[in-house]
Amino acid sequence: MSSTPTKENQGHRRKILYLIVGLIIISLPFWISRFGLALSTQIFFLTILVMSFTFMARHGGLVSLAQVSFFGISGYTLGILSVKAGIPFPYPYLLAIIAPPITAAIFGLIAIRVSAIPFLMITLAFGEIAYGTARHWSSLTNGDNGINNIPDIILFGVSFIAAKEPIRFYYLVLIVFVICFWLMNKINHSSFGLAFLATKQSSSRLEALGYPVFMIKYFAFIISALFAGISGILGTTFEGTINPDSIWFGTIMFMLIAAILGGVNHPLGPLVGVTVSTILERYIEPLTDHYRIVVGIIFLCTILLARQGIMGFLETRPIIQRVRRWFGFE
Amino acid sequence: MMDRRWKIIFLCIMFVGLLVSLPAGVLAGANDEIRIAVGGPHTGFAAEFGAEEFRGVELALQELGGKIAGRPVKLMKTDTKCDASEAVKKFRDSLLRDKVHAFIGPVCGSSGLSIVEWAKDYPDLPILIAYSAPEDVTMRKRQYNVLRPGWTGTQDNYYLGKYVVQEKGWKKIIMIGQDYSFPWGQTHGFIRGFCASGGKKVYKIYHPPNTEDYSSYLLKIRSMAKDYDAVAMNTAGSDAVALFKQFFEFGLDKQIKLFGFTNAFDSTALPTLGDKAIGMISAMHYVEGLEYAKKGMFSKKVIDSWLRFKKAYMAEYGHVPSCPAEQGYVCLMLYARAVEAVGGDIENKKGELLDALHKADMTDAPRGPFVLDDFGHATQNVYIREVQKHDGQLVNVPIKVYRDVTQFTEYVKMKEAYMRQPSASRDYPPGDCSKLCANGLGPYPDGKCPK
């Protein structure tokens, strides 16, 4: 007997779906290999970085390359305070959380005045400054040598060492990721998020309606820096090292590719993009010396065939739409 | 607009390709296989160093017949890109994904520093640092499982500093080098030896890597040429070629002497530099023209083991081996000897394997005999080399040899005091010898000199 599904029915289906996805993610450490676990940990914290990028790009139409610098600023704050200054555990982390938003608050005063290509250029310039500082101010940052022995996180007497306690570290990253993902969704659907979205479509009209366009963009920039910074803390702790190269071109390219591959306009885009590009990178590289060409071709195909990224492409498939309807998603 | 069906087919192919590639990467070989990851840059400005390192490892394995202690060996090339965090990422991948038994590499300085930190968490895992030269790797941050049958920038350049003061009488030097950790370490060693032997001043100029136009730096050197005795080229790769050519185009060769640190007159660069390079002095623990040295400088055994390696390498790859190639070769040989010493049982005798690595006999190494010190670093010859032309080819030839040089150079009796000195950096040690003690070390904060 086939009948039209009721709202209640769909609600149950959704709950079961969430339960299954949640169980898979939570039980991951118990059935996946050590390599897979390290990979998943990386995927989650890199997703936070890409999320901060797509937040700016999707809502404000602002392509901000400075996100990687915020990633680096928190990493360097953490490294300098804990390794070079020897400040004990919680304080370097707390300062590393607030350092990127503070930097964004200062830098945003200049950067937010422009949009589109000039904004991209000015954030690129900011990245260059951050990179140059990391590289050349060697008395502070150790220059090219980088800061190498980042201390471990110890919360309530439990240590979270990425290498020795990979499962604990995975859960730590997972919890932070879930909080960030939830927060990001809340912000996106809040009146602030909607106003930010409107600035992309017509900032002059929004201005005429009495919205403080500059302040909206400004605060969005600060929020995105906060997220990038959180990702930077997790990344630096995971790698145990921060050096100039990790906050420059390679990471910027990764961020851009992951964002575009996954789809800028879908909330799950960053997660999908980071997952696909990380797995591609890790599994194609051992097979051929020219893995960059392979990644490049896949990237090209995505741009040609699915301009909205993987998520955007899937969304328009009839079968996926049917599945969505079956679950009662909008 | 493309037909929708084609879109789907394309994406399906991509997806299937992805799925196919997944297990291929994970598939491990036979159970008795020894897997060794060889890490080095294979992209970027240092790619040639990584390629040479890998060739050396390959040659060594070929000589061993592809087997160590009766077990087949699988080499895995991994691209660490001369980037410290990339090195950690790739090493972790190789360990977790491919379950490798040992590492050879990395090549770049900062990568070595990040790897030795990373190695703390895997105390059983043998890591043979191939070409990475910051002294901290086997000194202030040493790990028992991290060995370096290679070199430190200080070890080689200390004696160059000594040589230019004592034999050439140059007491004021302008140093021009790339701005990253490797040249900093080189300068560090040079200044120590230079100041300890009575030198006066080293003026440091650092330029970003991959600079093409050196005119601004060369103009500066020209304006200073009157007050200085010589220019030291602390640059490597394509930068060195450009700098060398422009130095002559500016006519600076008529105003001031030129010499080089370790990599400036590398064998790979010599054909491009041309005959102008003849007579150029540099120092290294490796020299590709060992057989042309004056009679009596080396024993027959040393020359024979060098020539055997050089001929085998040239037969295989068609060019003169460069230093990273020899380093890769030696790393694998050292590992093979240690594995044989524990009877191939690397899974159960991890501690014994590390001990065997520290004790392995390398008196027949191509570069000249060496042993590993208590910290796992090579104690070896350092050659002062001169570019000469033999059989129509430019080669570096040893003109003086300092034997049994440790990583502590002449501070071997005061290791503790030496290790209390700050690590090499862009600004340390200062180029002005009057700010250092007579023995080349920096004074303590209270002004007293380390003894």
Side-chain angles (χ1 to χ4, degrees):
Chain A
M1 191 181 84
S2 73
S3 64
T4 46
T6 59
K7 278 259 157 69
E8 200 183 335
N9 245 337
Q10 290 174 330
H12 284 312
R13 286 169 191 166
R14 278 209 299 278
K15 265 179 206 152
I16 291 169
L17 179 74
Y18 290 145
L19 198 71
I20 291 171
V21 172
L23 270 179
I24 290 174
I25 293 175
I26 291 170
S27 67
L28 202 72
F30 302 104
W31 48 268
I32 207 164
S33 66
R34 281 281 315 268
F35 175 62
L37 189 63
L39 213 59
S40 324
T41 313
Q42 264 167 310
I43 286 171
F44 283 127
F45 70 70
L46 285 170
T47 303
I48 302 176
L49 173 69
V50 177
M51 237 156 52
S52 82
F53 171 79
T54 50
F55 173 64
M56 293 296 286
R58 171 192 176 195
H59 282 244
L62 299 167
V63 179
S64 165
L65 302 183
Q67 301 314 111
V68 171
S69 315
F70 296 134
F71 179 92
I73 286 168
S74 68
Y76 265 106
T77 311
L78 183 62
I80 290 166
L81 292 181
S82 57
V83 178
K84 301 207 79 173
I87 298 172
F89 165 67
Y91 306 106
Y93 282 86
L94 296 177
L95 284 167
I97 291 174
I98 58 169
I102 291 173
T103 326
I106 298 165
F107 171 64
L109 291 174
I110 313 162
I112 294 300
R113 290 177 194 281
V114 292
S115 54
I117 299 291
F119 182 78
L120 186 145
M121 293 307 293
I122 207 166
T123 52
L124 186 68
F126 178 72
E128 178 80 52
I129 294 170
Y131 171 73
T133 311
R135 199 171 184 110
H136 296 296
W137 193 351
S138 57
S139 56
L140 183 72
T141 62
N142 285 1
D144 187 42
N145 288 346
I147 299 174
N148 284 318
N149 37 351
I150 308 281
D152 314 310
I153 305 178
I154 297 169
L155 280 175
F156 314 115
V158 183
S159 72
F160 293 88
I161 308 168
K164 284 193 192 127
E165 304 284 355
I167 297 180
R168 277 186 206 159
F169 196 83
Y170 170 78
Y171 283 127
L172 179 75
V173 173
L174 182 64
I175 290 167
V176 176
F177 169 75
V178 170
I179 294 171
C180 286
F181 192 78
W182 178 79
L183 262 179
M184 197 53 112
N185 258 343
K186 276 275 166 229
I187 294 170
N188 282 346
H189 291 106
S190 68
S191 52
F192 169 76
L194 292 175
F196 186 38
L197 188 62
T199 62
K200 178 166 107 181
Q201 278 150 11
S202 173
S203 57
S204 55
R205 208 173 286 177
L206 201 66
E207 194 109 56
L209 284 169
Y211 281 91
V213 171
F214 180 85
M215 289 314 270
I216 291 170
K217 285 185 180 178
Y218 184 63
F219 277 110
F221 192 54
I222 293 174
I223 289 169
S224 81
L226 177 72
F227 279 94
I230 289 170
S231 165
I233 293 174
L234 295 174
T236 309
T237 326
F238 181 70
E239 305 285 1
T241 169
I242 178 95
N243 66 309
D245 294 315
S246 55
I247 66 168
W248 193 225
F249 224 71
T251 317
I252 291 182
M253 282 313 286
F254 179 86
M255 182 180 79
L256 285 175
I257 289 180
I260 294 169
L261 211 58
V264 174
N265 291 328
H266 196 281
L268 280 176
L271 183 60
V272 172
V274 171
T275 310
V276 171
S277 48
T278 310
I279 291 176
L280 278 182
E281 197 183 287
R282 296 311 167 75
Y283 283 106
I284 292 179
E285 205 210 330
L287 301 181
T288 161
D289 283 353
H290 311 292
Y291 70 101
R292 283 184 170 185
I293 297 177
V294 180
V295 173
I297 290 171
I298 291 170
F299 187 57
L300 201 69
C301 288
T302 318
I303 300 280
L304 284 175
L305 304 173
R307 216 159 283 180
Q308 293 299 315
I310 295 170
M311 288 315 288
F313 176 78
L314 290 179
E315 256 192 332
T316 54
R317 293 306 94 201
I319 174 111
I320 299 292
Q321 283 173 345
R322 221 174 298 153
V323 171
R324 283 172 64 100
R325 241 174 284 138
W326 194 75
F327 282 112
F329 286 109
E330 266 311 301
Chain B
M1 196 63 207
M2 216 181 281
D3 183 20
R4 184 202 270 168
R5 200 188 305 150
W6 278 108
K7 270 191 177 182
I8 294 169
I9 289 171
F10 250 120
L11 282 175
C12 284
I13 291 170
M14 270 167 60
F15 187 67
V16 170
L18 180 65
L19 285 185
V20 168
S21 69
L22 280 178
V26 198
L27 275 183
N31 277 338
D32 64 339
E33 187 180 70
I34 298 178
R35 288 179 293 278
I36 301 172
V38 186
H42 291 283
T43 46
F45 77 96
E48 188 53 29
F49 289 106
E52 282 281 283
E53 176 208 20
F54 192 75
R55 285 180 202 127
V57 176
E58 258 183 346
L59 182 72
L61 186 61
Q62 211 176 58
E63 275 184 22
L64 294 167
K67 283 186 174 184
I68 296 177
R71 296 173 63 168
V73 177
K74 187 174 175 194
L75 295 179
M76 295 173 168
K77 194 198 277 185
T78 169
D79 181 10
T80 55
K81 288 182 191 158
C82 223
D83 170 340
S85 42
E86 191 75 19
V88 171
K89 211 189 270 177
K90 292 291 164 66
F91 271 45
R92 186 177 48 228
D93 283 0
S94 299
L95 182 68
L96 300 181
R97 178 186 56 206
D98 308 326
K99 306 204 167 41
V100 298
H101 298 100
F103 282 96
I104 294 176
V107 164
C108 292
S110 52
S111 312
L113 289 170
S114 64
I115 286 302
V116 74
E117 283 304 332
W118 175 79
K120 266 186 200 164
D121 295 325
Y122 306 98
D124 291 336
L125 179 73
I127 299 174
L128 296 143
I129 304 282
Y131 197 64
S132 182
E135 58 182 13
D136 283 354
V137 174
T138 46
M139 196 185 276
R140 296 176 185 91
K141 294 181 175 168
R142 63 187 182 274
Q143 296 287 327
Y144 192 65
N145 58 326
V146 178
L147 300 100
R148 182 159 52 182
W151 62 311
T152 75
T154 311
Q155 189 177 26
D156 287 13
N157 288 294
Y158 182 90
Y159 288 94
L160 182 66
K162 199 172 167 175
Y163 181 84
V164 298
V165 176
Q166 289 181 347
E167 313 264 332
K168 295 277 180 188
W170 298 336
K171 294 196 169 172
K172 293 178 98 182
I173 303 282
I174 304 169
M175 187 285 307
I176 175 163
Q178 287 154 318
D179 198 358
Y180 69 101
S181 64
F182 173 77
W184 302 343
Q186 306 277 309
T187 315
H188 165 260
F190 180 81
I191 290 178
R192 295 249 192 254
F194 181 77
C195 290
S197 317
K200 287 207 168 67
K201 192 168 166 55
V202 177
Y203 186 88
K204 297 187 237 178
I205 300 174
Y206 283 116
H207 66 80
N210 303 325
T211 301
E212 278 162 21
D213 179 20
Y214 290 88
S215 45
S216 59
Y217 304 110
L218 291 171
L219 281 174
K220 184 159 194 183
I221 291 174
R222 179 188 277 169
S223 69
M224 295 164 62
K226 259 186 245 146
D227 305 324
Y228 285 83
D229 299 321
V231 174
M233 206 163 92
N234 186 9
T235 307
S238 56
D239 283 8
V241 176
L243 175 61
F244 187 80
K245 288 202 165 143
Q246 288 172 31
F247 185 85
F248 283 90
E249 280 162 15
F250 270 68
L252 277 172
D253 56 314
K254 292 179 191 78
Q255 296 177 21
I256 194 163
K257 298 271 191 308
L258 182 69
F259 69 104
F261 286 5
T262 48
N263 278 337
F265 303 110
D266 189 69
S267 65
T268 49
L270 283 180
T272 347
L273 297 181
D275 284 355
K276 284 193 183 111
I278 292 175
M280 290 294 161
I281 303 284
S282 61
M284 210 173 189
H285 62 293
Y286 171 87
V287 59
E288 75 272 9
L290 196 86
E291 68 271 29
Y292 301 116
K294 259 188 270 167
K295 277 213 174 98
M297 195 183 261
F298 302 106
S299 68
K300 192 171 175 304
K301 188 189 167 198
V302 170
I303 293 178
D304 282 351
S305 42
W306 161 249
L307 278 179
R308 203 172 59 79
F309 167 73
K310 186 177 180 177
K311 280 179 185 149
Y313 190 91
M314 287 180 77
E316 187 67 30
Y317 302 107
H319 63 262
V320 179
S322 70
C323 184
E326 196 263 1
Q327 224 105 297
Y329 177 87
V330 161
C331 282
L332 192 80
M333 282 297 178
L334 182 69
Y335 182 70
R337 282 173 195 181
V339 172
E340 262 151 30
V342 298
D345 189 7
I346 50 174
E347 280 83 5
N348 301 316
K349 293 186 178 169
K350 288 179 173 165
E352 286 94 327
L353 177 67
L354 288 180
D355 293 341
L357 278 169
H358 278 264
K359 283 185 211 124
D361 172 41
M362 293 305 291
T363 44
D364 60 343
R367 76 174 78 136
F370 75 84
V371 289
L372 296 179
D373 64 13
D374 299 344
F375 293 180
H377 184 83
T379 298
Q380 57 198 340
N381 293 342
V382 170
Y383 309 104
I384 303 293
R385 325 180 297 179
E386 188 185 61
V387 180
Q388 296 177 359
K389 200 165 197 175
H390 288 279
D391 310 327
Q393 289 217 324
L394 294 173
V395 284
N396 283 297
V397 176
I399 52 172
K400 188 175 171 81
V401 54
Y402 295 90
R403 291 178 207 274
D404 300 330
V405 177
T406 73
Q407 60 175 333
F408 289 98
T409 55
E410 292 187 349
Y411 307 109
V412 71
K413 291 202 180 84
M414 43 197 291
K415 284 183 189 170
E416 289 306 318
Y418 185 81
M419 283 194 284
R420 273 203 296 277
Q421 296 277 309
S423 305
S425 73
R426 195 172 194 270
D427 311 310
Y428 190 86
D432 189 349
C433 289
S434 64
K435 289 188 182 144
L436 294 173
C437 298
N439 58 9
L441 295 183
Y444 293 131
D446 60 3
K448 281 184 188 151
C449 283
K451 290 251 159 57

